[in-house]
């Protein structure tokens, strides 16, 4: 069974729209755990557009919940993450104007900075993942940096599938990276833009052990409810 991580940033976005407490991402995290998801993902952005510091602190303090905290390389955010100690860290690129994380990290440009951050989290025994594009060069760098995992950005694949364009080349690229990473003892995750169809296709790549899904899963729950949507994803991942 592959693991399902659910990104709950969109629940915080909905809450923030009213500036009140409902829907509460902390309650959502507990509810999702009860529905059997393997972990919760939250992204503490520099602009705090969805998850706020207190959400991150409260969610990370829950003993019975595995939390994957997405962060940029901003030193202030890194320090918060070191203090609130999530179970897992995923380092992602961040840019103020983006609607969502648009691509993987620029590993070449940020190598030194990333090495320092990875070492800091390793010292605290926090599993650290790098969000990368499906590129063998980037996998190679992730191996050099001694990250624990890579999360492969699946946004391009997801868009090709949604727009009914040819996606075979993209999926082959992801597969090659997953095989290469796994052979070199990196755990392989996938995320971004995934829905039922793209997730199902990616389950054929044995090396991918974890899927982190947010927008489609939360959006689809408006129609079918979280219990049914989670059940469907879990069936796909079985
Ligand atoms: N994984 C990472 C590293 C992300 O940054 C995101 C988006 O925040 C996701 C997974 C989830 O993407 P989506 O919301 O498109 O499912």
């Amino acid at each position: 069974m592959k693991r399902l991580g659910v990104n709950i940033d969109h629940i915080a976005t909905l809450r923030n729209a009213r500036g009140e407490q409902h829907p509460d991402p902390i309650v959502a995290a507990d509810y999702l755990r009860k529905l059997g998801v393997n972990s919760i993902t939250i992204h503490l952005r520099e602009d705090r557009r969805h998850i706020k510091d207190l959400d991150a602190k409260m969610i990370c303090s829950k003993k019975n919940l595995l939390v994957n905290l997405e962060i940029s390389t901003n030193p202030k955010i890194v320090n918060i993450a070191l203090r609130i100690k999530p179970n897992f860290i995923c380092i992602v690129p961040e840019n103020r104007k983006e609607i969502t994380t648009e691509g993987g990290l620029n590993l070449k440009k940020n190598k030194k900075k990333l090495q320092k951050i990875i070492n800091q989290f390793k010292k605290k025994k926090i599993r650290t993942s790098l969000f990368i594009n499906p590129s063998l060069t980037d996998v190679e760098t992730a191996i050099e940096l001694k990250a624990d995992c890579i999360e492969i950005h699946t946004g391009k694949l997801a868009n090709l599938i949604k727009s009914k364009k040819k996606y075979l080349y993209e999926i082959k690229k992801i597969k090659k990276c997953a095989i290469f990473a796994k052979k070199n003892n990196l755990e392989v995750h996938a995320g971004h833009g995934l829905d039922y169809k793209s997730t199902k296709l990616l389950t054929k790549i044995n090396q991918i052990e974890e899927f982190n899904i947010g927008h489609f899963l939360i959006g689809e729950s408006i129609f079918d409810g979280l219990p049914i949507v989670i059940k469907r994803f879990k069936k796909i991942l079985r």
Side-chain angles (χ1 to χ4, degrees):
M1 174 105 185
K2 293 168 184 287
R3 298 192 301 268
L4 173 63
V6 176
N7 182 315
I8 59 169
D9 294 344
H10 297 289
I11 295 176
T13 300
L14 193 57
R15 180 225 21 217
N16 298 348
R18 276 290 164 100
E20 293 174 13
Q21 298 305 313
H22 188 268
D24 187 340
I26 302 164
V27 175
D30 275 330
Y31 184 58
L32 283 159
R33 178 185 56 81
K34 285 184 197 140
L35 292 177
V37 311
N38 301 98
S39 55
I40 297 294
T41 291
I42 49 175
H43 183 178
L44 185 67
R45 289 183 60 97
E46 289 162 35
D47 60 13
R48 308 298 200 276
R49 72 166 75 143
H50 35 59
I51 292 293
K52 309 285 184 196
D53 294 59
L54 188 59
D55 299 323
K57 187 176 164 202
M58 298 290 287
I59 291 170
C60 289
S61 71
K62 290 196 169 282
K63 294 275 175 281
N64 52 6
L65 195 66
L66 288 176
V67 182
N68 175 38
L69 180 66
E70 289 179 8
I71 57 164
S72 67
T73 56
N74 177 309
K76 283 188 189 151
I77 301 282
V78 171
N79 281 335
I80 295 172
L82 286 165
R83 218 170 37 240
I84 62 178
K85 292 200 202 97
N87 306 88
F88 315 132
I89 278 288
C90 180
I91 309 175
V92 302
E94 211 175 285
N95 122 34
R96 284 276 160 120
K97 291 194 195 97
E98 70 193 355
I99 293 174
T100 179
T101 318
E102 282 161 356
L105 290 157
N106 184 337
L107 296 189
K108 203 172 162 194
K109 188 174 156 209
N110 296 299
K111 208 167 161 187
K112 250 186 162 167
K113 214 191 305 183
L114 286 167
Q115 188 65 81
K116 186 177 164 219
I117 299 171
I118 291 170
N119 293 345
Q120 283 174 299
F121 286 108
K122 271 193 173 258
K123 252 189 214 160
K124 299 230 177 217
K125 298 197 174 12
I126 295 174
R127 186 194 84 176
T128 304
S129 174
L130 298 174
F131 194 36
I132 64 167
N133 291 318
S135 128
L136 286 173
T137 314
D138 282 353
V139 178
E140 219 158 43
T141 311
I143 297 163
E144 267 176 55
L145 288 169
K146 295 192 169 59
D148 298 305
C149 331
I150 50 163
E151 179 163 330
I152 300 178
H153 194 297
T154 52
K156 187 168 176 193
L157 174 75
N159 283 337
L160 289 171
I161 295 173
K162 276 177 227 168
S163 51
K164 300 197 178 3
K165 291 193 180 137
K166 290 187 182 139
Y167 58 78
L168 232 59
Y169 176 70
E170 188 64 20
I171 210 160
K172 272 189 191 158
K173 247 177 22 180
I174 294 174
K175 187 171 178 177
K176 266 191 190 166
C177 288
I179 292 172
F180 182 48
K182 186 73 188 169
K183 252 193 202 153
N184 286 280
N185 299 318
L186 280 175
E187 199 178 288
V188 184
H189 308 160
H192 212 277
L194 296 176
D195 58 13
Y196 295 134
K197 190 171 176 191
S198 44
T199 303
K200 187 157 188 189
L201 271 168
L202 285 168
T203 57
K204 296 203 180 97
I205 303 177
N206 291 333
Q207 290 76 11
I208 302 178
E209 293 177 46
E210 181 177 305
F211 289 80
N212 288 308
I213 307 176
H215 189 265
F216 173 82
L217 188 153
I218 300 297
E220 193 68 358
S221 300
I222 292 172
F223 304 108
D224 289 336
L226 275 173
I228 286 177
V229 175
I230 297 297
K231 206 168 151 188
R232 282 197 188 137
F233 269 113
K234 285 184 69 104
K235 196 172 163 202
I236 290 170
L237 297 180
R238 201 166 291 139

